[in-house]
Amino acid sequence: MSSSLPIKGRASLDRVLEASSFLPSSYLSTTSFAQEIIARDLAECSSDELEDDDCDPDDGSEYDAAPGNHAAAALVSRPTGIAYGTLRPTIAGEAQGSLAVTAQDLLESRHAEQSLLRDNHILPPKHPRLPKDSIWKQLYRHMFSTKVPTDGLGPPLSPSTTKALEDSPLLQHDYLEAAASANIIKTTWQREAKTLTQYSRSLIVTFLLHYSVTVTSVFTVGRIGRLELGAVSLATMTANITCYAPIQGLSTCLDTLCAQAYGSGHKHLVGLQLQRMTYLLWMLLLPIATLWWFATPVLGSIIPDQDTAALAGMYLRVLILGTPGVAAFESGKRFVQAQGLFHATTFVLLIGAPLNVLANWFFVWKLNWGFNGAATAVVFTQNLLPLLLFLYVRFIEGMECWNGLSRKALGNWGPMIKLALPGMIMVEAQYFAFEVLTLAASQFGSAHLAAQSVLVTVTSTTFNIPFPLSIAASTRVANLIGARLSDAARTSAKVALVAGILVGLFNLGLLSSLRFQLPYLFTNDEEVASIVSRVLPICAVLQVFDSLAAISHGLLRGIGRQAIGGYTNLGSYYLIALPISFGVGFYLKWQLEGLWFGVAVGLAVVSSVELFYLHHADWSHAVEEAEMRMRSDEASRIELK
């Protein structure tokens, strides 16, 4: 097998074969809390002979069912732990579980490895080049070909070895690892640009579809009046801080628990963790509902405009009916993601987003419910999405991890809460740092509060382009690091940063050129539109820093340094952005322009710090750390089995 490898590759083959028995789960790591929870559940199942049907482990996991087993999954291209927020999407932090690899993932990984080997001239080209190409084909190849220049590369493999590689995922993976260890696997910016585009395009659609629920509500209310638009902004801020952020943060622990259960082959525990988290979140909704029911006097004591406070309180009372659906959907997304069914959420949103538009028209204009109709449409959508997700799992795929309702979901909450609290604190801190600006804007009057609603909606919508790109960059870099291709990972990171700059410049140009037109998409109020048009140039410049910060944070996740990005974000918001925003907004009386100026400065600091760290990071050391983590993940998976 090794005789056809280039000379440098043969010397490292033995060492690579030893390492290739582990799944390269990149930057993912297990936690002691997660292992404790799974172990307790397994012990309880094994000790309860009366409920065998509820606790049968499914040993036929996707790991063992797929040809070539998980050793062939060097370039699995799925992200993990995605959370679609009501304000801005986030991604789970360090507490992750073993990557669940499906047969489709293995097939995609195999094709990606074959393509990479062909581009490095280790495998013969799939389509041999013609003796004479036209000048246009030569120009196209020069600009867009993913082939690596041939200088210094060894000869291609023999036909017999080529056939073996294409027929055997395991052999192919061994050759890829050996070539990577010999440092002869390279990549090009063309390949990385193509890969990042493939990874991110569906994510961008998914994130924009999900955020369209919020955008549609703002569009609708903005047509009713200035006071109503400001009230929605105030109500959304309250809902995000007191409900949506805690729910999203607590449910991130399922990224660890469900992935850990699925990866260890105990699929029945995935459904058990889903039930347990859903019950916990529903219990927490009781005090939240009480707070929202009496929100009017609370908000009235904080903001000067009592009419706005009264409308916001009424809006929150209606939203109480949608909170069970929000909790169920957040938990349900983790349930399908743990099984590798990331497209399930996309299919749900492809149906839910248009129905949300229809619901806004029906309740607000057809039934003439006005402001309450807009809140009712939100409640309708919030409860529709988990129902659609349930129907997808029930009738399409995902039922293998559901073993029915279980009384065991009512116990073993302690370790789960300990695992969930750090995620909740991090997400809550991120939301509060951004949402407090809405509270500050309310001090300037109803027009400024309404303008703040428009500005938050616009900037959050544009953020849904670079953020999915950052997830794609994180996934790609993590896969290359896991495959021990540090040079290729560096190249991919550079391409991602350039793409981030281009996206930021595109958003900058869009907001700058449409600064006088965009406000009227949301409101007909001249004063509100004037305020928005004055602040939009600051938001336009902010786009470049926002995009770079998103990409940089994604790259830090890819090399296993997500904690640095998290702390940098929080430190910059609380120590730099907010003090500058309040100082310039209130002391210098720049008002809304000052609030957003502070945000722009904070994001500039975030992007600068993260880019500085990435420039000086030791990417080879990241490869070594990834190997240690994947060995730990594999050992934990075997132990839990």
Side-chain angles (χ1 to χ4, degrees):
M1 179 179 67
S2 61
S3 60
S4 299
L5 277 172
I7 297 176
K8 290 189 294 183
R10 300 193 196 110
S12 304
L13 182 58
D14 291 339
R15 183 167 64 88
V16 172
L17 288 176
E18 179 184 356
S20 66
S21 60
F22 297 93
L23 172 65
S25 54
S26 61
Y27 62 93
L28 306 180
S29 61
T30 58
T31 66
S32 57
F33 282 139
Q35 295 179 36
E36 178 185 352
I37 294 169
I38 301 299
R40 283 189 180 187
D41 289 332
L42 290 175
E44 184 177 350
C45 285
S46 62
S47 63
D48 193 346
E49 296 179 356
L50 298 178
E51 296 184 280
D52 285 340
D53 291 340
D54 188 43
C55 299
D56 281 341
D58 184 354
D59 291 328
S61 69
E62 299 292 344
Y63 285 97
D64 300 322
N69 213 326
H70 53 279
L75 297 176
V76 173
S77 59
R78 281 191 292 97
T80 57
I82 300 175
Y84 310 97
T86 54
L87 173 68
R88 285 193 171 198
T90 60
I91 196 164
E94 297 178 63
Q96 300 279 346
S98 299
L99 185 65
V101 180
T102 66
Q104 180 62 29
D105 296 327
L106 292 174
L107 181 61
E108 292 178 359
S109 176
R110 177 185 177 186
H111 290 163
E113 291 172 16
Q114 288 176 347
S115 179
L116 189 60
L117 290 171
R118 288 192 182 99
D119 279 357
N120 280 269
H121 311 281
I122 297 175
L123 279 177
K126 191 173 184 179
H127 304 289
R129 185 181 303 179
L130 297 176
K132 289 185 179 180
D133 284 337
S134 67
I135 187 172
W136 298 111
K137 285 188 177 181
Q138 294 179 29
L139 181 62
Y140 177 85
R141 187 182 302 114
H142 178 73
M143 292 293 299
F144 301 107
S145 175
T146 58
K147 296 288 185 183
V148 175
T150 56
D151 295 342
L153 293 175
L157 300 180
S158 65
S160 59
T161 306
T162 298
K163 184 67 167 60
L165 280 171
E166 294 180 344
D167 289 344
S168 172
L170 182 59
L171 284 179
Q172 174 194 308
H173 182 72
D174 293 342
Y175 273 94
L176 178 65
E177 288 284 351
S181 299
N183 199 29
I184 61 174
I185 291 290
K186 306 294 180 183
T187 189
T188 60
W189 71 264
Q190 292 94 337
R191 163 172 284 279
E192 296 311 308
K194 178 182 177 182
T195 303
L196 291 177
T197 301
Q198 291 174 339
Y199 286 7
S200 62
R201 59 193 179 191
S202 60
L203 285 174
I204 292 174
V205 172
T206 302
F207 276 91
L208 289 175
L209 282 173
H210 194 277
Y211 195 69
S212 70
V213 175
T214 301
V215 175
T216 303
S217 179
V218 175
F219 265 127
T220 304
V221 175
R223 295 295 172 180
I224 298 176
R226 173 207 296 183
L227 196 64
E228 289 80 2
L229 185 58
V232 166
S233 179
L234 187 62
T236 302
M237 177 211 70
T238 306
N240 282 334
I241 293 176
T242 59
C243 180
Y244 301 151
I247 284 177
Q248 188 181 107
L250 288 170
S251 62
T252 56
C253 77
L254 293 182
D255 295 320
T256 297
L257 295 174
C258 291
Q260 190 74 276
Y262 190 89
S264 62
H266 300 284
K267 294 184 180 180
H268 66 296
L269 295 184
V270 180
L272 180 63
Q273 307 302 339
L274 165 69
Q275 294 177 55
R276 186 176 288 144
M277 175 54 67
T278 304
Y279 295 157
L280 172 63
L281 295 178
W282 282 348
M283 285 187 60
L284 293 177
L285 293 179
L286 296 177
I288 292 173
T290 304
L291 175 63
W292 286 11
W293 188 261
F294 298 102
T296 298
V298 176
L299 294 174
S301 65
I302 298 175
I303 69 170
D305 192 324
Q306 298 303 305
D307 291 336
T308 302
L311 280 176
M314 184 171 62
Y315 194 87
L316 286 171
R317 284 191 174 188
V318 179
L319 286 190
I320 291 174
L321 299 175
T323 53
V326 173
F329 190 53
E330 284 297 325
S331 299
K333 286 185 298 189
R334 272 57 181 212
F335 174 78
V336 294
Q337 287 173 11
Q339 303 175 61
L341 306 178
F342 287 85
H343 51 273
T345 309
T346 304
F347 290 151
V348 166
L349 291 172
L350 283 172
I351 300 175
L355 289 178
N356 174 64
V357 176
L358 181 62
N360 274 270
W361 170 82
F362 180 75
F363 290 115
V364 176
W365 309 116
K366 182 66 176 178
L367 298 183
N368 201 28
W369 288 6
F371 185 72
N372 284 333
T376 304
V378 172
V379 170
F380 168 81
T381 305
Q382 287 176 337
N383 288 300
L384 174 67
L385 294 180
L387 176 61
L388 292 175
L389 189 61
F390 167 78
L391 293 175
Y392 181 93
V393 171
R394 175 64 180 84
F395 295 105
I396 300 179
E397 56 183 341
M399 277 297 289
E400 63 267 22
C401 289
W402 179 256
N403 210 36
L405 296 175
S406 172
R407 294 194 303 271
K408 292 181 176 59
L410 301 176
N412 198 16
W413 284 20
M416 182 187 68
I417 294 174
K418 290 180 182 179
L419 182 63
L421 282 177
M424 186 198 74
I425 293 172
M426 179 65 74
V427 174
E428 181 70 33
Q430 292 173 350
Y431 267 76
F432 184 80
F434 200 83
E435 290 287 11
V436 73
L437 296 178
T438 298
L439 189 61
S442 68
Q443 305 302 310
F444 303 135
S446 60
H448 285 83
L449 184 58
Q452 173 71 1
S453 180
V454 174
L455 292 168
V456 168
T457 302
V458 170
T459 55
S460 295
T461 301
T462 56
F463 183 73
N464 279 277
I465 301 176
F467 185 76
L469 181 60
S470 78
I471 296 176
S474 173
T475 304
R476 178 61 172 175
V477 167
N479 289 336
L480 293 173
I481 289 292
R484 303 164 74 179
L485 302 174
S486 59
D487 289 339
R490 232 183 256 109
T491 300
S492 185
K494 293 176 182 178
V495 172
L497 289 172
V498 172
I501 293 174
L502 293 177
V503 170
L505 291 175
F506 171 79
N507 288 339
L508 184 153
L510 184 67
L511 298 190
S512 299
S513 60
L514 299 177
R515 58 176 294 202
F516 297 109
Q517 290 77 31
L518 278 176
Y520 291 102
L521 294 177
F522 298 89
T523 179
N524 292 323
D525 190 286
E526 293 292 340
E527 185 180 359
V528 174
S530 176
I531 295 172
V532 173
S533 64
R534 292 201 308 267
V535 183
L536 270 179
I538 299 175
C539 294
V541 175
L542 176 149
Q543 297 302 309
V544 178
F545 301 127
D546 207 8
S547 183
L548 274 176
I551 300 298
S552 300
H553 195 48
L555 295 176
L556 288 173
R557 290 195 304 268
I559 63 174
R561 294 290 186 273
Q562 53 269 47
I564 291 174
Y567 293 131
T568 301
N569 272 278
L570 292 180
S572 297
Y573 271 119
Y574 284 100
L575 301 180
I576 297 175
L578 291 183
I580 292 178
S581 292
F582 292 144
V584 175
F586 289 96
Y587 182 73
L588 296 183
K589 298 182 179 180
W590 286 17
Q591 296 186 325
L592 207 56
E593 292 97 319
L595 296 183
W596 283 92
F597 176 77
V599 174
V601 173
L603 285 172
V605 172
V606 170
S607 58
S608 299
V609 171
E610 294 185 347
L611 286 173
F612 178 83
Y613 184 89
L614 286 168
H615 179 70
H616 291 87
D618 187 346
W619 292 63
S620 298
H621 184 62
V623 171
E624 297 174 3
E625 291 183 333
E627 288 187 13
M628 294 176 61
R629 281 192 292 270
M630 69 186 181
R631 289 176 184 271
S632 174
D633 284 350
E634 181 67 11
S636 300
R637 184 180 70 85
I638 294 174
E639 180 181 351
L640 287 174
K641 275 192 172 184

